[in-house]
Amino acid sequence: MDKFRIRGGKPLHGKVAIGGAKNSALPLMAAALLTPEPVTLHNVPTVRDIITMAKLLTFMSAKVTTQEIPSNDYTIEAVSLNDAVAPYELVKTMRASILTLGPAVARSGYAHVSLPGGCAIGARPVDLHLAALEKMGADVTTEHGYIFAKVPKGGRLKGAHIIFEKITVTGTENILMAASLADGVTIAREPEVTDLIHLLRKMGAQIEGEETPVLRIRGVNELHGAAHAIISDRIEAGTFLIAGAITNGDLMITNCNPAHLAAATAKLKKAGVAVEICDEKTMRVRGSKKLVGADITTEEYPGFATDMQAQYMALATQAEGTSVITETIFENRFLHASEMMRMGANISIDGHRAFVRGPAKLSGTMVQASDLRASAGLVLAGLVAEGETVIDRVYHIDRGYERIVEKLQAVGADIERISGAGS
């Protein structure tokens, strides 16, 4: 099992190019199941979850081809679907596998999907997905760890008025895809899925309202192939902004969308970090010799992303004063705090709030990653810690960060990947 070895204390300087957004690429790959024609996606990140999704689509009889030049392209052609089974062996490490449910039942009238796995950051039930599909006319059952969904023989999903009880990005994406091939009009809330909407429209879907709290989808008889470039990964960009800040460095972040980082940028500035928007795809971050504590509360987009919470906690350990971090999205997302405390951080947890008192002199030690973003938070802590930090279970970070070791090395970090035997 691979690990990261980091020797901290080196300011980062240089340029980092941000890759495509994994959380955008995954639903767009699933959307290719809606048509027998080829769908080509550009700027797809090379991370483990993408590879897993490609294997899953292949298992469902889609043909997946890749081309690294010029922009890491994936072409997916699902001429026909098999019995639309998404097996546990493929989905146990990736929650996004549930995104094949909506497209499969909409196109073939039947889907058989394992209940998904993913990060250990609390319960993320799929009940909202299933209730919405039932409202659209599907017969849905769960047994032996699998979801079975089907529509009456010869029939199609029907339009419905769907209001999700709470924020569910994947639920919205699932129903958005399913509704594109349903009879009638479907209305769904929570439009945090603009990139998926853009692809579906290119495929012939009729969707209105992405700039409002309500999406209106008018189902069509069939969708066709299309080509689309994945948006840049705002979480990767935010992680590197904090990397530059926490090491008192100077980084240029390219191929990003500053508008997607407004909440993170505002909090970094409040903490004393110099962040500059250079142009529509480039940002610059410069560290501060004196960081100050600033509170954050995680929220759905456009608020402060829960996927940036662990990285911000690492920064807060170096800030003067107390930073209060309130987690409102997941109930079990402070597992990284105990690992940072082993490194010398002064953190106390009270329910869904963490109190981080700084600045703390972190020292390198052996730590263990619990989920994808916790891994990134520990990497950031290691970059500023004195001595050597070894992070175990880095397969988590491989799920969502493309070539993170190489990118950090290129801007001056002393980091390397080691095998379990070499530690």
Side-chain angles (χ1 to χ4, degrees):
M1 189 178 295
D2 286 359
K3 303 174 183 177
F4 289 168
R5 178 187 286 134
I6 305 170
R7 297 174 180 89
K10 297 182 181 297
L12 304 187
H13 293 90
K15 184 182 296 185
V16 178
I18 301 304
K22 175 198 76 135
N23 288 344
S24 178
L26 290 169
L28 270 63
M29 291 174 73
L33 297 177
L34 290 165
T35 176
E37 297 182 15
V39 172
T40 299
L41 302 175
H42 309 293
N43 197 35
V44 180
T46 304
V47 297
R48 185 167 293 178
D49 275 7
I50 296 294
I51 296 168
T52 301
M53 179 64 87
K55 289 179 180 178
L56 176 56
L57 297 181
T58 300
F59 188 89
M60 299 173 75
S61 295
K63 179 182 178 182
V64 181
T65 56
T66 62
Q67 183 176 327
E68 291 186 12
I69 306 298
S71 58
N72 209 36
D73 301 339
Y74 272 59
T75 298
I76 303 162
E77 188 174 8
V79 175
S80 61
L81 300 180
N82 59 16
D83 59 355
V85 176
Y88 177 71
E89 289 72 22
L90 280 176
V91 308
K92 62 184 178 182
T93 63
M94 183 186 69
R95 181 167 184 80
S97 56
I98 192 68
L99 290 167
T100 62
L101 177 64
V105 73
R107 181 169 166 202
S108 65
Y110 176 78
H112 180 191
V113 179
S114 173
L115 288 166
C119 289
I121 55 174
R124 294 191 279 184
V126 298
D127 297 4
L128 300 175
H129 304 231
L130 308 189
L133 284 174
E134 286 179 327
K135 205 165 185 180
M136 295 173 68
D139 179 19
V140 182
T141 58
T142 58
E143 53 186 67
H144 307 299
Y146 279 83
I147 301 165
F148 298 83
K150 62 181 179 179
V151 295
K153 193 169 183 178
R156 283 160 54 97
L157 292 174
K158 308 295 183 184
H161 189 172
I162 296 165
I163 299 178
F164 290 115
E165 297 174 6
K166 55 185 178 180
I167 294 297
T168 167
V169 176
T170 54
T172 302
E173 290 166 339
N174 234 333
I175 300 311
L176 180 59
M177 291 185 282
S180 296
L181 287 179
D183 288 334
V185 177
T186 301
I187 300 173
R189 295 175 66 95
E190 321 307 351
E192 303 174 47
V193 288
T194 303
D195 210 25
L196 176 60
I197 291 172
H198 290 167
L199 172 63
L200 289 172
R201 280 184 177 151
K202 291 178 181 178
M203 295 169 66
Q206 296 183 14
I207 305 169
E208 301 173 354
E210 74 266 30
E211 302 299 332
T212 74
V214 177
L215 292 173
R216 182 181 294 268
I217 309 105
R218 185 178 299 277
V220 297
N221 288 329
E222 60 182 15
L223 298 175
H224 53 74
H228 184 77
I230 306 295
I231 60 172
S232 61
D233 193 326
R234 64 189 174 103
I235 305 303
E236 183 190 14
T239 301
F240 277 100
L241 286 176
I242 291 182
I246 200 171
T247 64
N248 196 27
D250 186 345
L251 290 180
M252 296 291 288
I253 313 297
T254 66
N255 193 37
C256 66
N257 187 333
H260 291 169
L261 291 155
T265 299
K267 287 300 180 181
L268 288 176
K269 288 180 177 179
K270 192 171 182 181
V273 180
V275 182
E276 176 186 352
I277 297 175
C278 303
D279 58 45
E280 62 183 14
K281 290 188 176 181
T282 308
M283 302 179 73
R284 182 183 184 185
V285 60
R286 285 169 287 173
S288 168
K289 291 191 179 296
K290 183 179 179 181
L291 296 168
V292 294
D295 300 344
I296 64 162
T297 299
T298 62
E299 299 173 324
E300 64 274 9
Y301 183 82
F304 194 95
T306 181
D307 281 354
M308 283 293 299
Q309 180 253 103
Q311 298 91 310
Y312 187 84
M313 182 177 287
L315 182 74
T317 67
Q318 302 306 296
E320 186 173 299
T322 299
S323 300
V324 180
I325 299 174
T326 304
E327 175 58 59
T328 69
I329 308 298
F330 297 118
E331 76 279 8
N332 192 29
R333 207 167 197 182
F334 287 139
L335 297 177
H336 46 276
S338 59
E339 299 301 291
M340 291 184 188
M341 290 163 67
R342 295 190 66 245
M343 300 174 70
N346 184 349
I347 305 171
S348 57
I349 307 295
D350 181 11
H352 54 262
R353 292 194 299 173
F355 298 84
V356 187
R357 298 169 179 85
K361 185 177 181 180
L362 302 185
S363 59
T365 187
M366 186 82 177
V367 292
Q368 180 170 278
S370 57
D371 62 71
L372 169 56
R373 307 306 174 182
S375 306
L378 294 176
V379 167
L380 294 171
L383 290 175
V384 76
E386 182 179 275
E388 183 177 284
T389 300
V390 176
I391 304 175
D392 200 0
R393 298 176 69 184
V394 297
Y395 59 83
H396 286 296
I397 205 165
D398 291 335
R399 289 183 44 230
Y401 285 87
E402 184 176 30
R403 300 174 54 250
I404 189 169
V405 170
E406 292 82 358
K407 288 184 178 183
L408 285 169
Q409 288 173 339
V411 291
D414 188 346
I415 180 173
E416 62 180 330
R417 182 185 293 268
I418 56 175
S419 68
S423 60

